[in-house]
Amino acid sequence: MSNHEESLDPNDWTLPRQLAHQMIDDAITHISEVRKRPVWQEMPDTVRAFFKSSVPSDPTSLETVYAELRENLFPYSMGNIHPRFWGWYMGSSNFTGALADFLAAVDGSNLGGGNTAPAMIDIQVVDWFKELMGFPEDASGTLTSGGSMANMVALNVARNALAGVDVRAEGIMSMPQPLRFYASNQVHSCHQKALETMGHGAKSLTEISCDDHFRMDISALEKAIAQDRANGIKPACVIGTAGTTNTGAMDDLRAIADICKRENMWFHVDGCIGAFLRLAPEYQHLVDGIHLADSVAMDPHKWLHTPFEAGCVLVRDAQRHFNTFEMHGDYLQMQKRGLIAGKFLADFGFELSRGFKALKIWMSLKENGVEKMGRLIAQNIQQAQYLEQQVASDPRLELVAPVDLNIICFRYANGITDETQLKELNTEIMLRLQETGMAVPSDTTLAQKHCLRVAINNHRTQRQDLDLFLEEVLRLGAKIEAETGI
Ligand SMILES: *Cc1c(COP(=O)(O)O)cnc(C)c1O
């Protein structure tokens, strides 16, 4: 008897089964041969045009859909899984994490909450992070899409704790005093974005000057706090950065912890880059004091190489965290038994439906163990030190910032002193490196000096990649100098 009711499942699984095996085979080839490909390449017009076709009304076989992707998608991705990708600040993903994302989707659970094994894994991963960060067992936390959301969750809890009114009921306009948040002038832009979104305005974030290692000037922080207090503004929170995005600088977390304690302020650490240094015994002293924070944001999709997206925030005071986000409609009331019993995960962040992000972290941490993850972190730092030495020993190159972690900021100078010319030259070097697919560095400007920026957050990078890259920078530098007559 024929069944006229439809579903998304195929009537016959033979072909999807074959195709799925093919996809896994292709995926392994894609990753194992990554070194043979350019890091990145420009899409031809035909590919751009392919992505402009209108909404499909008729079906296409999965075989064709997949063939189209193989042709139009995989050759034109970002390239951050390539050993010579060091732009901005990314992780380089891993195959186990990719399998986990697939398995999580097969499982299909909604991690908003529920009395389920996936929820146990979500809770366990957060518990592991608490243990790794030296947070107490009764602290809370949640997995987020990334560091921006992790920081935003923390700033919301901090704001509600310091607002001086029931801000959930009354709103920020009822606060008796305006609040101030403090961070170094190297702070990641997501904090300003969060405070703007929360309705406090960009001016609620005071940027504190830095020393010559781009670390927050602690006495300038103290002065700013005292001055604001004298002016009727309420100092609420200091954001310490454990690893800045520009240069990998580490704020003095212990000093900030002391000030926050004395001033009754919230101590938040943005550890999106540096928090996992706790896994590397020889470098964990760099984040000394992180365990004293009221909240910490971290980014497994950076130094743990979890496939995007995966962030996490920990909050020391679980009750305050819960009080900030707890919310249940009539259609979603908790029960003591059954499927909706237990901890409701969405009570610790803004989102209700949540993906099973925990699985890709969980599988990769179990497979590798945290000691290996720590060794990979140490390896990147040592590679950065190696590149620093190579740059320092070549008179044509100029180091623009001290290398305190895994980020190197330098430029091809070759005796040129004009800043405009230097910027033109180094921008052109960067773009040619990207366009030939040889390597992907990015750039930044530090104390008015434009430079190339190499953030080695990549478990596939080897020293030979760095050698190749420097050779190419020198070759391109000389070539562009000759071409342009700079
Ligand atoms: C990357 C980064 C962020 C933002 O994290 P996303 O995961 O990109 O949202 C915040 N702070 C620091 C220090 C970062 O490096």
Side-chain angles (χ1 to χ4, degrees), residues 229-485:
R229 248 192 232 296
N231 291 333
I233 289 165
K234 186 168 177 181
C237 169
V238 184
I239 301 160
T241 304
T244 60
T245 317
N246 258 339
T247 67
M250 292 286 174
D251 286 341
D252 184 342
L253 302 181
R254 273 201 187 264
I256 297 173
D258 286 345
I259 290 170
C260 287
K261 197 163 176 195
R262 192 178 72 215
E263 300 281 341
N264 284 317
M265 293 170 69
W266 188 277
F267 173 30
H268 174 65
V269 173
D270 182 346
C272 283
I273 287 178
F276 292 115
L277 285 164
R278 296 261 310 183
L279 276 51
E282 66 268 57
Y283 296 111
Q284 63 179 202
H285 65 276
L286 294 174
V287 287
D288 183 41
I290 198 170
H291 64 291
L292 301 170
D294 292 300
S295 51
V296 176
M298 53 186 118
D299 239 356
H301 64 207
K302 286 178 176 165
W303 237 339
L304 293 187
H305 306 291
T306 307
F308 293 113
E309 308 160 335
C312 180
V313 59
L314 302 180
V315 181
R316 179 173 304 276
D317 187 332
Q319 193 62 44
R320 283 195 190 283
H321 188 186
F322 177 80
N323 289 348
T324 302
F325 293 106
E326 186 264 345
M327 176 76 77
H328 289 264
D330 292 337
Y331 39 79
L332 191 57
Q333 293 294 307
M334 296 305 291
Q335 297 292 344
K336 292 227 154 31
R337 293 170 17 229
L339 176 49
I340 203 72
K343 185 174 182 170
F344 198 72
L345 301 174
D347 283 334
F348 296 86
F350 181 74
E351 289 146 314
L352 176 56
S353 289
R354 299 174 66 248
F356 191 5
K357 292 187 279 282
L359 189 62
K360 55 194 170 186
I361 305 171
W362 191 84
M363 279 180 68
S364 158
L365 280 185
K366 280 184 76 104
E367 182 197 18
N368 296 297
V370 289
E371 286 181 13
K372 176 163 184 187
M373 299 318 258
R375 287 200 302 277
L376 291 173
I377 287 168
Q379 180 169 292
N380 282 162
I381 296 173
Q382 285 149 15
Q383 287 165 337
Q385 289 165 356
Y386 171 76
L387 187 60
E388 177 191 22
Q389 285 160 15
Q390 303 303 104
V391 167
S393 65
D394 194 308
R396 291 165 290 181
L397 303 174
E398 177 193 351
L399 209 56
V400 172
V403 177
D404 290 323
L405 203 63
N406 59 335
I407 302 173
I408 307 99
C409 293
F410 77 101
R411 58 189 180 180
Y412 178 89
N414 198 22
I416 300 163
T417 51
D418 182 89
E419 287 297 326
T420 314
Q421 284 182 347
L422 282 167
K423 183 169 180 177
E424 258 174 56
L425 180 56
N426 282 277
T427 303
E428 187 59 25
I429 293 174
M430 174 183 75
L431 293 176
R432 288 198 196 178
L433 284 165
Q434 291 178 5
E435 284 167 345
T436 55
M438 196 280 159
V440 172
S442 56
D443 64 347
T444 190
T445 301
L446 293 166
Q448 283 93 51
K449 289 184 172 180
H450 173 266
C451 56
L452 301 174
R453 183 175 155 284
V454 178
I456 312 178
N457 194 88
N458 192 321
H459 62 87
R460 297 190 178 94
T461 299
Q462 299 175 357
R463 286 186 188 204
Q464 60 176 32
D465 294 308
L466 299 169
D467 292 337
L468 271 177
F469 161 71
L470 265 197
E471 268 171 42
E472 192 61 8
V473 167
L474 291 167
R475 194 187 70 80
L476 283 171
K479 185 159 184 259
I480 298 162
E481 260 191 287
E483 278 171 20
T484 56

Side-chain angles (χ1 to χ4, degrees), residues 12-324:
D12 180 354
W13 284 93
T14 315
L15 203 63
R17 189 188 293 271
Q18 268 171 16
L19 257 176
H21 283 286
Q22 181 66 48
M23 286 179 193
I24 298 281
D25 272 346
D26 292 348
I28 290 171
T29 306
H30 184 74
I31 294 178
S32 62
E33 295 188 350
V34 60
R35 192 173 274 284
K36 295 184 189 166
R37 295 193 303 268
V39 186
W40 175 83
Q41 57 183 329
E42 182 69 69
M43 280 173 278
D45 290 345
T46 49
V47 170
R48 287 184 191 280
F50 171 76
F51 291 113
K52 296 215 163 123
S53 54
S54 55
V55 68
S57 53
D58 297 325
T60 308
S61 75
L62 183 57
E63 223 173 347
T64 306
V65 173
Y66 179 55
E68 288 174 342
L69 273 196
R70 282 187 63 177
E71 194 179 322
N72 295 295
L73 182 128
F74 282 102
Y76 308 106
S77 46
M78 180 154 253
N80 51 300
I81 69 167
H82 193 287
R84 286 192 297 279
F85 184 100
W86 309 299
W88 306 281
Y89 205 97
M90 310 225 181
S92 42
S93 196
N94 72 91
F95 185 61
T96 299
L99 286 177
D101 251 358
F102 169 72
L103 297 174
V106 168
D107 172 85
S109 293
N110 185 334
L111 272 287
N115 187 6
T116 66
M120 296 293 291
I121 289 187
D122 191 301
I123 292 166
Q124 185 174 31
V125 167
V126 172
D127 282 345
W128 285 348
F129 287 158
K130 289 191 307 204
E131 191 181 328
L132 289 173
M133 292 305 130
F135 262 53
E137 264 177 56
D138 63 0
S140 63
T142 188
L143 298 177
T144 61
S145 50
S148 302
M149 186 52 103
N151 281 307
M152 172 125 150
V153 165
L155 294 183
N156 267 276
V157 183
R159 188 272 312 279
N160 288 12
L162 277 291
V165 289
D166 177 358
V167 79
R168 285 191 69 174
E170 307 297 333
I172 55 172
M173 61 288 199
S174 308
M175 292 187 327
Q177 287 173 283
L179 300 184
R180 277 291 183 279
F181 296 74
Y182 306 82
S184 90
N185 60 20
Q186 296 296 304
V187 70
H188 192 277
S189 59
C190 72
H191 295 275
Q192 180 181 333
K193 202 165 164 181
L195 290 168
E196 287 175 6
T197 308
M198 288 158 64
H200 296 280
K203 76 173 187 196
S204 67
L205 179 63
T206 301
E207 292 193 0
I208 307 293
S209 57
C210 287
D211 66 14
D212 57 1
H213 277 253
F214 298 98
R215 289 176 302 218
M216 188 193 296
D217 176 342
I218 297 296
S219 61
L221 170 68
E222 289 180 305
K223 261 190 224 136
I225 291 172
Q227 200 166 31
D228 283 341
R229 248 192 232 296
N231 291 333
I233 289 165
K234 186 168 177 181
C237 169
V238 184
I239 301 160
T241 304
T244 60
T245 317
N246 258 339
T247 67
M250 292 286 174
D251 286 341
D252 184 342
L253 302 181
R254 273 201 187 264
I256 297 173
D258 286 345
I259 290 170
C260 287
K261 197 163 176 195
R262 192 178 72 215
E263 300 281 341
N264 284 317
M265 293 170 69
W266 188 277
F267 173 30
H268 174 65
V269 173
D270 182 346
C272 283
I273 287 178
F276 292 115
L277 285 164
R278 296 261 310 183
L279 276 51
E282 66 268 57
Y283 296 111
Q284 63 179 202
H285 65 276
L286 294 174
V287 287
D288 183 41
I290 198 170
H291 64 291
L292 301 170
D294 292 300
S295 51
V296 176
M298 53 186 118
D299 239 356
H301 64 207
K302 286 178 176 165
W303 237 339
L304 293 187
H305 306 291
T306 307
F308 293 113
E309 308 160 335
C312 180
V313 59
L314 302 180
V315 181
R316 179 173 304 276
D317 187 332
Q319 193 62 44
R320 283 195 190 283
H321 188 186
F322 177 80
N323 289 348
T324 302

